[in-house]
Amino acid sequence: MASNAAVPFWRAAGMTYITYSNICANLVRNCLKEPYKTEALTREKVHFSISKWTDGKPEKPTLRSDSPEE
């Protein structure tokens, strides 16, 4: 039996919730005035480290810094 329940518009558009929320967050950041816009854009950057494992032991970690523009 088919459900007549309402489907969220982001799902109907073929997006995941994460994609939808990222689009909304970018729109809000772009609407901010200075200096709040610059502060929000700097918080958007992501920093993480990656460690490869060989023979059950971690190698030296490498630090990565990715931002949406890259």
Side-chain angles (χ1 to χ4, degrees):
M1 184 150 170
S3 173
N4 291 333
V7 176
F9 66 90
W10 51 266
R11 177 72 68 197
M15 287 191 263
T16 64
Y17 183 75
I18 297 296
T19 305
Y20 164 72
S21 63
N22 284 337
I23 290 170
C24 292
N26 285 331
L27 288 171
V28 170
R29 281 188 214 103
N30 290 331
C31 291
L32 293 173
K33 293 182 180 180
E34 292 297 337
Y36 306 109
K37 184 175 186 175
T38 305
E39 291 176 19
L41 290 173
T42 58
R43 285 193 303 262
E44 186 179 20
K45 295 179 182 173
V46 178
H47 305 282
F48 58 94
S49 65
I50 298 174
S51 294
K52 292 188 178 184
W53 289 70
T54 306
D55 297 326
K57 297 179 183 176
E59 295 179 358
K60 184 176 180 181
T62 57
L63 185 63
R64 296 275 317 253
S65 180
D66 292 339
S67 62
E69 302 88 42
E70 295 177 353

Short mmCIF file of all heavy atoms in Angstrom, two decimals:
data_model
loop_
_atom_site.label_atom_id
_atom_site.label_comp_id
_atom_site.label_asym_id
_atom_site.label_seq_id
_atom_site.Cartn_x
_atom_site.Cartn_y
_atom_site.Cartn_z
N MET A 1 0.84 -1.18 0.00
CA MET A 1 0.00 0.00 0.00
C MET A 1 0.89 1.24 0.00
O MET A 1 1.79 1.39 0.81
CB MET A 1 -0.88 -0.03 1.25
CG MET A 1 -1.85 1.09 1.30
SD MET A 1 -3.28 0.50 2.18
CE MET A 1 -4.10 2.00 2.38
N ALA A 2 0.68 2.13 -0.91
CA ALA A 2 1.49 3.34 -1.05
C ALA A 2 1.15 4.35 0.04
O ALA A 2 0.00 4.49 0.43
CB ALA A 2 1.29 3.96 -2.41
N SER A 3 2.16 5.03 0.49
CA SER A 3 1.97 6.04 1.52
C SER A 3 1.74 7.40 0.87
O SER A 3 2.40 7.75 -0.12
CB SER A 3 3.20 6.10 2.42
OG SER A 3 3.10 7.18 3.30
N ASN A 4 0.81 8.16 1.39
CA ASN A 4 0.55 9.49 0.90
C ASN A 4 1.21 10.55 1.77
O ASN A 4 0.86 11.72 1.71
CB ASN A 4 -0.97 9.75 0.83
CG ASN A 4 -1.62 8.92 -0.26
OD1 ASN A 4 -0.98 8.56 -1.24
ND2 ASN A 4 -2.89 8.62 -0.09
N ALA A 5 2.16 10.14 2.61
CA ALA A 5 2.84 11.07 3.51
C ALA A 5 3.67 12.05 2.69
O ALA A 5 4.19 11.73 1.63
CB ALA A 5 3.73 10.30 4.48
N ALA A 6 3.79 13.25 3.21
CA ALA A 6 4.57 14.28 2.54
C ALA A 6 6.06 13.92 2.59
O ALA A 6 6.57 13.48 3.62
CB ALA A 6 4.34 15.63 3.19
N VAL A 7 6.73 14.12 1.48
CA VAL A 7 8.16 13.85 1.40
C VAL A 7 8.87 15.20 1.54
O VAL A 7 8.48 16.17 0.91
CB VAL A 7 8.51 13.21 0.04
CG1 VAL A 7 10.00 13.01 -0.11
CG2 VAL A 7 7.77 11.90 -0.12
N PRO A 8 9.92 15.25 2.36
CA PRO A 8 10.66 16.52 2.45
C PRO A 8 11.16 16.95 1.07
O PRO A 8 11.55 16.12 0.25
CB PRO A 8 11.85 16.19 3.36
CG PRO A 8 11.43 14.97 4.11
CD PRO A 8 10.49 14.22 3.21
N PHE A 9 11.14 18.26 0.81
CA PHE A 9 11.49 18.74 -0.53
C PHE A 9 12.93 18.43 -0.90
O PHE A 9 13.23 18.21 -2.06
CB PHE A 9 11.20 20.24 -0.67
CG PHE A 9 12.05 21.13 0.18
CD1 PHE A 9 13.25 21.62 -0.28
CD2 PHE A 9 11.63 21.48 1.46
CE1 PHE A 9 14.02 22.43 0.50
CE2 PHE A 9 12.40 22.30 2.25
CZ PHE A 9 13.61 22.78 1.78
N TRP A 10 13.85 18.38 0.09
CA TRP A 10 15.23 18.05 -0.24
C TRP A 10 15.35 16.61 -0.71
O TRP A 10 16.15 16.28 -1.56
CB TRP A 10 16.18 18.34 0.93
CG TRP A 10 15.76 17.75 2.24
CD1 TRP A 10 15.03 18.38 3.21
CD2 TRP A 10 16.04 16.46 2.74
NE1 TRP A 10 14.84 17.54 4.28
CE2 TRP A 10 15.46 16.35 4.03
CE3 TRP A 10 16.74 15.37 2.25
CZ2 TRP A 10 15.55 15.20 4.80
CZ3 TRP A 10 16.82 14.22 3.02
CH2 TRP A 10 16.23 14.16 4.28
N ARG A 11 14.52 15.73 -0.16
CA ARG A 11 14.52 14.33 -0.58
C ARG A 11 13.89 14.21 -1.97
O ARG A 11 14.38 13.47 -2.82
CB ARG A 11 13.75 13.48 0.43
CG ARG A 11 13.62 12.02 0.06
CD ARG A 11 14.88 11.25 0.18
NE ARG A 11 15.27 11.12 1.58
CZ ARG A 11 16.47 10.79 1.99
NH1 ARG A 11 17.41 10.49 1.11
NH2 ARG A 11 16.77 10.72 3.25
N ALA A 12 12.82 14.98 -2.21
CA ALA A 12 12.18 14.95 -3.52
C ALA A 12 13.11 15.49 -4.61
O ALA A 12 13.02 15.08 -5.77
CB ALA A 12 10.90 15.78 -3.48
N ALA A 13 14.03 16.39 -4.23
CA ALA A 13 14.99 16.94 -5.18
C ALA A 13 16.17 16.00 -5.40
O ALA A 13 17.06 16.31 -6.19
CB ALA A 13 15.48 18.31 -4.70
N GLY A 14 16.21 14.88 -4.69
CA GLY A 14 17.28 13.91 -4.86
C GLY A 14 18.52 14.21 -4.04
O GLY A 14 19.59 13.72 -4.35
N MET A 15 18.38 15.03 -3.00
CA MET A 15 19.52 15.37 -2.14
C MET A 15 19.47 14.59 -0.84
O MET A 15 18.41 14.13 -0.43
CB MET A 15 19.48 16.86 -1.77
CG MET A 15 19.82 17.79 -2.86
SD MET A 15 20.03 19.45 -2.20
CE MET A 15 18.43 20.14 -2.54
N THR A 16 20.62 14.49 -0.20
CA THR A 16 20.64 13.98 1.17
C THR A 16 20.47 15.17 2.11
O THR A 16 20.62 16.33 1.70
CB THR A 16 21.99 13.29 1.49
OG1 THR A 16 23.02 14.27 1.42
CG2 THR A 16 22.27 12.15 0.52
N TYR A 17 20.18 14.89 3.36
CA TYR A 17 20.00 15.98 4.32
C TYR A 17 21.30 16.74 4.53
O TYR A 17 21.30 17.95 4.70
CB TYR A 17 19.47 15.45 5.65
CG TYR A 17 19.23 16.56 6.62
CD1 TYR A 17 18.11 17.38 6.48
CD2 TYR A 17 20.12 16.83 7.65
CE1 TYR A 17 17.89 18.43 7.35
CE2 TYR A 17 19.90 17.88 8.52
CZ TYR A 17 18.78 18.68 8.37
OH TYR A 17 18.59 19.71 9.22
N ILE A 18 22.44 16.03 4.50
CA ILE A 18 23.74 16.68 4.68
C ILE A 18 23.98 17.68 3.55
O ILE A 18 24.43 18.81 3.79
CB ILE A 18 24.87 15.63 4.73
CG1 ILE A 18 24.69 14.71 5.93
CG2 ILE A 18 26.23 16.30 4.73
CD1 ILE A 18 24.80 15.40 7.27
N THR A 19 23.70 17.30 2.31
CA THR A 19 23.86 18.21 1.17
C THR A 19 22.97 19.43 1.33
O THR A 19 23.41 20.56 1.14
CB THR A 19 23.53 17.49 -0.15
OG1 THR A 19 24.33 16.32 -0.25
CG2 THR A 19 23.78 18.39 -1.35
N TYR A 20 21.71 19.20 1.70
CA TYR A 20 20.77 20.29 1.90
C TYR A 20 21.23 21.23 3.01
O TYR A 20 21.23 22.45 2.84
CB TYR A 20 19.38 19.72 2.24
CG TYR A 20 18.43 20.71 2.83
CD1 TYR A 20 17.88 21.71 2.05
CD2 TYR A 20 18.08 20.64 4.17
CE1 TYR A 20 17.00 22.64 2.60
CE2 TYR A 20 17.21 21.55 4.72
CZ TYR A 20 16.66 22.55 3.94
OH TYR A 20 15.81 23.45 4.47
N SER A 21 21.70 20.68 4.12
CA SER A 21 22.13 21.52 5.23
C SER A 21 23.40 22.29 4.88
O SER A 21 23.58 23.44 5.31
CB SER A 21 22.32 20.70 6.51
OG SER A 21 23.35 19.76 6.34
N ASN A 22 24.31 21.71 4.08
CA ASN A 22 25.51 22.42 3.64
C ASN A 22 25.15 23.59 2.73
O ASN A 22 25.74 24.67 2.83
CB ASN A 22 26.47 21.48 2.92
CG ASN A 22 27.23 20.60 3.87
OD1 ASN A 22 27.39 20.93 5.04
ND2 ASN A 22 27.68 19.47 3.38
N ILE A 23 24.18 23.41 1.85
CA ILE A 23 23.73 24.50 0.98
C ILE A 23 23.13 25.63 1.81
O ILE A 23 23.44 26.81 1.59
CB ILE A 23 22.71 23.97 -0.06
CG1 ILE A 23 23.42 23.07 -1.08
CG2 ILE A 23 22.01 25.13 -0.77
CD1 ILE A 23 22.48 22.31 -1.99
N CYS A 24 22.31 25.28 2.78
CA CYS A 24 21.70 26.29 3.65
C CYS A 24 22.76 27.04 4.45
O CYS A 24 22.70 28.26 4.59
CB CYS A 24 20.69 25.65 4.59
SG CYS A 24 19.23 25.04 3.75
N ALA A 25 23.74 26.32 4.98
CA ALA A 25 24.80 26.96 5.76
C ALA A 25 25.61 27.92 4.90
O ALA A 25 25.95 29.02 5.35
CB ALA A 25 25.71 25.88 6.37
N ASN A 26 25.91 27.54 3.66
CA ASN A 26 26.64 28.43 2.75
C ASN A 26 25.84 29.69 2.44
O ASN A 26 26.39 30.79 2.38
CB ASN A 26 27.01 27.71 1.45
CG ASN A 26 28.15 26.75 1.65
OD1 ASN A 26 29.00 26.94 2.50
ND2 ASN A 26 28.17 25.70 0.85
N LEU A 27 24.53 29.54 2.25
CA LEU A 27 23.68 30.71 1.99
C LEU A 27 23.68 31.66 3.17
O LEU A 27 23.78 32.87 3.00
CB LEU A 27 22.25 30.26 1.66
CG LEU A 27 22.05 29.61 0.30
CD1 LEU A 27 20.66 29.02 0.19
CD2 LEU A 27 22.28 30.63 -0.79
N VAL A 28 23.58 31.12 4.37
CA VAL A 28 23.59 31.97 5.57
C VAL A 28 24.93 32.67 5.71
O VAL A 28 24.99 33.87 5.99
CB VAL A 28 23.25 31.15 6.83
CG1 VAL A 28 23.49 31.95 8.09
CG2 VAL A 28 21.81 30.67 6.77
N ARG A 29 26.03 31.95 5.52
CA ARG A 29 27.36 32.57 5.63
C ARG A 29 27.53 33.70 4.62
O ARG A 29 28.12 34.72 4.92
CB ARG A 29 28.45 31.52 5.40
CG ARG A 29 28.71 30.67 6.59
CD ARG A 29 29.93 29.79 6.36
NE ARG A 29 29.72 28.52 7.02
CZ ARG A 29 29.37 27.39 6.43
NH1 ARG A 29 29.25 27.33 5.13
NH2 ARG A 29 29.18 26.30 7.13
N ASN A 30 27.03 33.50 3.40
CA ASN A 30 27.17 34.53 2.37
C ASN A 30 26.29 35.75 2.63
O ASN A 30 26.57 36.82 2.10
CB ASN A 30 26.86 33.95 0.99
CG ASN A 30 27.93 33.00 0.53
OD1 ASN A 30 29.09 33.12 0.91
ND2 ASN A 30 27.55 32.03 -0.28
N CYS A 31 25.26 35.62 3.43
CA CYS A 31 24.37 36.74 3.74
C CYS A 31 24.88 37.58 4.91
O CYS A 31 24.37 38.68 5.14
CB CYS A 31 22.97 36.23 4.07
SG CYS A 31 22.12 35.55 2.64
N LEU A 32 25.85 37.08 5.65
CA LEU A 32 26.36 37.83 6.80
C LEU A 32 27.14 39.05 6.36
O LEU A 32 27.72 39.09 5.28
CB LEU A 32 27.28 36.93 7.64
CG LEU A 32 26.62 35.76 8.35
CD1 LEU A 32 27.69 34.88 8.99
CD2 LEU A 32 25.64 36.26 9.40
N LYS A 33 27.13 40.07 7.21
CA LYS A 33 27.92 41.28 6.97
C LYS A 33 29.26 41.13 7.67
O LYS A 33 29.43 40.33 8.57
CB LYS A 33 27.19 42.51 7.50
CG LYS A 33 25.92 42.82 6.74
CD LYS A 33 25.27 44.08 7.27
CE LYS A 33 23.99 44.37 6.50
NZ LYS A 33 23.34 45.58 6.98
N GLU A 34 30.23 41.92 7.23
CA GLU A 34 31.55 41.91 7.87
C GLU A 34 31.43 42.48 9.28
O GLU A 34 30.61 43.35 9.51
CB GLU A 34 32.54 42.73 7.04
CG GLU A 34 32.88 42.11 5.71
CD GLU A 34 33.56 40.76 5.81
OE1 GLU A 34 34.17 40.45 6.84
OE2 GLU A 34 33.46 40.01 4.85
N PRO A 35 32.18 42.04 10.23
CA PRO A 35 33.25 41.06 10.24
C PRO A 35 32.75 39.64 10.47
O PRO A 35 33.52 38.70 10.49
CB PRO A 35 34.13 41.51 11.40
CG PRO A 35 33.16 42.05 12.38
CD PRO A 35 32.09 42.73 11.52
N TYR A 36 31.44 39.47 10.63
CA TYR A 36 30.88 38.15 10.94
C TYR A 36 31.06 37.17 9.78
O TYR A 36 31.26 35.97 9.99
CB TYR A 36 29.40 38.26 11.30
CG TYR A 36 29.18 39.26 12.42
CD1 TYR A 36 28.57 40.48 12.17
CD2 TYR A 36 29.61 38.99 13.71
CE1 TYR A 36 28.38 41.40 13.20
CE2 TYR A 36 29.43 39.90 14.73
CZ TYR A 36 28.81 41.10 14.47
OH TYR A 36 28.63 42.00 15.48
N LYS A 37 31.01 37.68 8.55
CA LYS A 37 31.17 36.81 7.39
C LYS A 37 32.56 36.19 7.36
O LYS A 37 32.71 34.99 7.14
CB LYS A 37 30.92 37.62 6.11
CG LYS A 37 30.96 36.80 4.85
CD LYS A 37 30.58 37.67 3.66
CE LYS A 37 30.47 36.84 2.40
NZ LYS A 37 29.99 37.64 1.27
N THR A 38 33.60 36.99 7.61
CA THR A 38 34.97 36.49 7.61
C THR A 38 35.17 35.46 8.72
O THR A 38 35.81 34.43 8.50
CB THR A 38 35.96 37.66 7.79
OG1 THR A 38 35.70 38.63 6.77
CG2 THR A 38 37.39 37.18 7.68
N GLU A 39 34.61 35.73 9.89
CA GLU A 39 34.73 34.78 11.01
C GLU A 39 34.05 33.46 10.67
O GLU A 39 34.59 32.39 10.95
CB GLU A 39 34.11 35.38 12.26
CG GLU A 39 34.88 36.54 12.84
CD GLU A 39 34.17 37.15 14.03
OE1 GLU A 39 33.29 36.48 14.61
OE2 GLU A 39 34.49 38.29 14.37
N ALA A 40 32.88 33.51 10.07
CA ALA A 40 32.16 32.29 9.71
C ALA A 40 32.91 31.49 8.65
O ALA A 40 32.94 30.26 8.69
CB ALA A 40 30.75 32.63 9.24
N LEU A 41 33.50 32.19 7.68
CA LEU A 41 34.24 31.49 6.63
C LEU A 41 35.51 30.83 7.17
O LEU A 41 35.91 29.76 6.68
CB LEU A 41 34.59 32.45 5.50
CG LEU A 41 33.39 32.91 4.66
CD1 LEU A 41 33.82 34.00 3.67
CD2 LEU A 41 32.76 31.75 3.94
N THR A 42 36.15 31.42 8.18
CA THR A 42 37.34 30.78 8.75
C THR A 42 36.97 29.53 9.55
O THR A 42 37.74 28.58 9.61
CB THR A 42 38.12 31.74 9.65
OG1 THR A 42 37.28 32.21 10.68
CG2 THR A 42 38.68 32.90 8.85
N ARG A 43 35.79 29.51 10.15
CA ARG A 43 35.34 28.32 10.89
C ARG A 43 34.95 27.18 9.97
O ARG A 43 34.82 26.04 10.39
CB ARG A 43 34.16 28.68 11.80
CG ARG A 43 34.54 29.45 13.02
CD ARG A 43 33.40 29.48 14.00
NE ARG A 43 32.19 30.04 13.42
CZ ARG A 43 31.78 31.29 13.56
NH1 ARG A 43 32.50 32.14 14.25
NH2 ARG A 43 30.66 31.69 13.02
N GLU A 44 34.76 27.48 8.69
CA GLU A 44 34.35 26.47 7.72
C GLU A 44 35.50 25.53 7.35
O GLU A 44 35.27 24.42 6.89
CB GLU A 44 33.81 27.18 6.48
CG GLU A 44 33.22 26.29 5.44
CD GLU A 44 32.69 27.07 4.26
OE1 GLU A 44 33.11 28.23 4.06
OE2 GLU A 44 31.87 26.51 3.53
N LYS A 45 36.73 25.95 7.56
CA LYS A 45 37.89 25.14 7.20
C LYS A 45 37.98 23.91 8.11
O LYS A 45 37.60 23.94 9.26
CB LYS A 45 39.16 25.96 7.32
CG LYS A 45 39.21 27.09 6.33
CD LYS A 45 40.46 27.90 6.47
CE LYS A 45 40.43 29.05 5.48
NZ LYS A 45 41.53 29.96 5.69
N VAL A 46 38.53 22.83 7.54
CA VAL A 46 38.62 21.56 8.25
C VAL A 46 40.09 21.15 8.36
O VAL A 46 40.83 21.21 7.38
CB VAL A 46 37.84 20.45 7.51
CG1 VAL A 46 37.97 19.13 8.22
CG2 VAL A 46 36.38 20.85 7.37
N HIS A 47 40.51 20.77 9.55
CA HIS A 47 41.87 20.29 9.78
C HIS A 47 41.79 18.88 10.37
O HIS A 47 41.03 18.64 11.30
CB HIS A 47 42.62 21.20 10.76
CG HIS A 47 42.63 22.63 10.33
ND1 HIS A 47 43.47 23.11 9.35
CD2 HIS A 47 41.92 23.70 10.75
CE1 HIS A 47 43.26 24.40 9.18
NE2 HIS A 47 42.32 24.78 10.02
N PHE A 48 42.60 17.96 9.84
CA PHE A 48 42.61 16.60 10.36
C PHE A 48 43.95 15.95 10.05
O PHE A 48 44.71 16.43 9.22
CB PHE A 48 41.45 15.78 9.80
CG PHE A 48 41.42 15.68 8.30
CD1 PHE A 48 42.00 14.61 7.66
CD2 PHE A 48 40.81 16.66 7.55
CE1 PHE A 48 41.98 14.52 6.29
CE2 PHE A 48 40.78 16.58 6.17
CZ PHE A 48 41.36 15.51 5.54
N SER A 49 44.24 14.86 10.74
CA SER A 49 45.48 14.12 10.48
C SER A 49 45.14 12.71 10.03
O SER A 49 44.14 12.14 10.45
CB SER A 49 46.37 14.09 11.71
OG SER A 49 45.76 13.37 12.74
N ILE A 50 46.01 12.17 9.19
CA ILE A 50 45.83 10.82 8.66
C ILE A 50 47.04 9.99 9.05
O ILE A 50 48.18 10.43 8.86
CB ILE A 50 45.69 10.84 7.12
CG1 ILE A 50 44.47 11.65 6.71
CG2 ILE A 50 45.62 9.43 6.56
CD1 ILE A 50 44.35 11.84 5.21
N SER A 51 46.80 8.81 9.59
CA SER A 51 47.89 7.89 9.93
C SER A 51 47.66 6.59 9.17
O SER A 51 46.60 5.99 9.27
CB SER A 51 47.92 7.59 11.42
OG SER A 51 48.26 8.73 12.15
N LYS A 52 48.67 6.17 8.41
CA LYS A 52 48.61 4.87 7.75
C LYS A 52 49.15 3.83 8.72
O LYS A 52 50.07 4.09 9.48
CB LYS A 52 49.41 4.88 6.46
CG LYS A 52 48.81 5.77 5.41
CD LYS A 52 49.52 5.60 4.09
CE LYS A 52 48.86 6.47 3.05
NZ LYS A 52 49.44 6.27 1.73
N TRP A 53 48.56 2.65 8.67
CA TRP A 53 48.98 1.56 9.56
C TRP A 53 49.71 0.50 8.74
O TRP A 53 49.22 0.06 7.70
CB TRP A 53 47.77 0.96 10.25
CG TRP A 53 47.20 1.88 11.28
CD1 TRP A 53 46.54 3.05 11.07
CD2 TRP A 53 47.26 1.70 12.69
NE1 TRP A 53 46.18 3.62 12.26
CE2 TRP A 53 46.60 2.80 13.28
CE3 TRP A 53 47.80 0.73 13.52
CZ2 TRP A 53 46.48 2.95 14.64
CZ3 TRP A 53 47.66 0.87 14.89
CH2 TRP A 53 47.01 1.98 15.44
N THR A 54 50.88 0.09 9.21
CA THR A 54 51.66 -0.96 8.57
C THR A 54 52.08 -1.96 9.63
O THR A 54 52.63 -1.58 10.66
CB THR A 54 52.93 -0.36 7.90
OG1 THR A 54 52.52 0.69 7.02
CG2 THR A 54 53.68 -1.41 7.12
N ASP A 55 51.79 -3.21 9.39
CA ASP A 55 52.11 -4.30 10.32
C ASP A 55 51.55 -4.04 11.72
O ASP A 55 52.20 -4.30 12.73
CB ASP A 55 53.63 -4.51 10.41
CG ASP A 55 54.22 -4.94 9.07
OD1 ASP A 55 53.53 -5.67 8.33
OD2 ASP A 55 55.37 -4.54 8.77
N GLY A 56 50.36 -3.47 11.79
CA GLY A 56 49.70 -3.25 13.07
C GLY A 56 50.21 -2.05 13.85
O GLY A 56 49.83 -1.86 15.00
N LYS A 57 51.08 -1.24 13.24
CA LYS A 57 51.61 -0.06 13.93
C LYS A 57 51.37 1.18 13.08
O LYS A 57 51.52 1.14 11.86
CB LYS A 57 53.12 -0.23 14.17
CG LYS A 57 53.45 -1.37 15.09
CD LYS A 57 54.94 -1.51 15.27
CE LYS A 57 55.23 -2.73 16.14
NZ LYS A 57 56.67 -2.96 16.26
N PRO A 58 51.01 2.29 13.73
CA PRO A 58 50.76 3.51 12.95
C PRO A 58 52.06 4.16 12.49
O PRO A 58 53.05 4.17 13.21
CB PRO A 58 50.02 4.41 13.93
CG PRO A 58 50.49 3.97 15.28
CD PRO A 58 50.72 2.48 15.15
N GLU A 59 52.06 4.68 11.27
CA GLU A 59 53.19 5.44 10.78
C GLU A 59 53.01 6.89 11.23
O GLU A 59 52.02 7.24 11.86
CB GLU A 59 53.25 5.36 9.25
CG GLU A 59 53.52 3.97 8.73
CD GLU A 59 53.54 3.91 7.21
OE1 GLU A 59 53.30 4.94 6.55
OE2 GLU A 59 53.78 2.82 6.69
N LYS A 60 53.96 7.74 10.90
CA LYS A 60 53.88 9.14 11.29
C LYS A 60 52.65 9.78 10.64
O LYS A 60 52.45 9.67 9.42
CB LYS A 60 55.15 9.88 10.85
CG LYS A 60 55.19 11.31 11.31
CD LYS A 60 56.49 11.97 10.93
CE LYS A 60 56.48 13.42 11.41
NZ LYS A 60 57.70 14.10 11.04
N PRO A 61 51.82 10.46 11.43
CA PRO A 61 50.61 11.07 10.85
C PRO A 61 50.94 12.29 9.97
O PRO A 61 51.93 12.98 10.20
CB PRO A 61 49.81 11.50 12.07
CG PRO A 61 50.79 11.61 13.18
CD PRO A 61 51.89 10.67 12.86
N THR A 62 50.12 12.48 8.95
CA THR A 62 50.26 13.66 8.10
C THR A 62 49.07 14.58 8.37
O THR A 62 47.94 14.13 8.49
CB THR A 62 50.27 13.28 6.61
OG1 THR A 62 49.08 12.55 6.30
CG2 THR A 62 51.47 12.45 6.26
N LEU A 63 49.34 15.86 8.50
CA LEU A 63 48.31 16.85 8.80
C LEU A 63 47.73 17.37 7.51
O LEU A 63 48.47 17.76 6.60
CB LEU A 63 48.90 18.00 9.63
CG LEU A 63 47.91 19.04 10.11
CD1 LEU A 63 46.91 18.41 11.07
CD2 LEU A 63 48.65 20.17 10.81
N ARG A 64 46.41 17.36 7.40
CA ARG A 64 45.71 17.87 6.22
C ARG A 64 44.88 19.07 6.62
O ARG A 64 44.36 19.13 7.72
CB ARG A 64 44.76 16.80 5.66
CG ARG A 64 45.40 15.54 5.14
CD ARG A 64 45.86 15.62 3.70
NE ARG A 64 44.95 16.25 2.81
CZ ARG A 64 44.21 15.65 1.90
NH1 ARG A 64 44.27 14.36 1.76
NH2 ARG A 64 43.42 16.33 1.11
N SER A 65 44.73 19.99 5.72
CA SER A 65 43.90 21.16 5.93
C SER A 65 43.10 21.38 4.65
O SER A 65 43.66 21.80 3.64
CB SER A 65 44.76 22.38 6.25
OG SER A 65 43.95 23.49 6.46
N ASP A 66 41.84 21.06 4.68
CA ASP A 66 41.00 21.19 3.51
C ASP A 66 39.95 22.26 3.75
O ASP A 66 39.41 22.39 4.84
CB ASP A 66 40.29 19.88 3.17
CG ASP A 66 41.26 18.81 2.68
OD1 ASP A 66 42.36 19.19 2.24
OD2 ASP A 66 40.91 17.64 2.74
N SER A 67 39.65 23.01 2.72
CA SER A 67 38.55 23.97 2.78
C SER A 67 37.70 23.77 1.54
O SER A 67 38.16 23.21 0.54
CB SER A 67 39.08 25.40 2.86
OG SER A 67 39.83 25.72 1.71
N PRO A 68 36.45 24.19 1.57
CA PRO A 68 35.56 23.94 0.42
C PRO A 68 36.03 24.53 -0.90
O PRO A 68 35.67 24.06 -1.95
CB PRO A 68 34.26 24.60 0.85
CG PRO A 68 34.32 24.66 2.33
CD PRO A 68 35.78 24.81 2.67
N GLU A 69 36.87 25.59 -0.87
CA GLU A 69 37.33 26.19 -2.11
C GLU A 69 38.35 25.34 -2.82
O GLU A 69 38.56 25.46 -4.01
CB GLU A 69 37.96 27.58 -1.84
CG GLU A 69 37.05 28.57 -1.17
CD GLU A 69 37.10 28.46 0.34
OE1 GLU A 69 38.20 28.31 0.90
OE2 GLU A 69 36.04 28.49 0.96
N GLU A 70 39.07 24.47 -2.09
CA GLU A 70 40.16 23.68 -2.67
C GLU A 70 39.65 22.48 -3.42
O GLU A 70 38.65 21.94 -3.20
CB GLU A 70 41.12 23.23 -1.56
CG GLU A 70 41.81 24.40 -0.92
CD GLU A 70 42.70 23.98 0.24
OE1 GLU A 70 42.67 22.79 0.63
OE2 GLU A 70 43.40 24.83 0.76
#
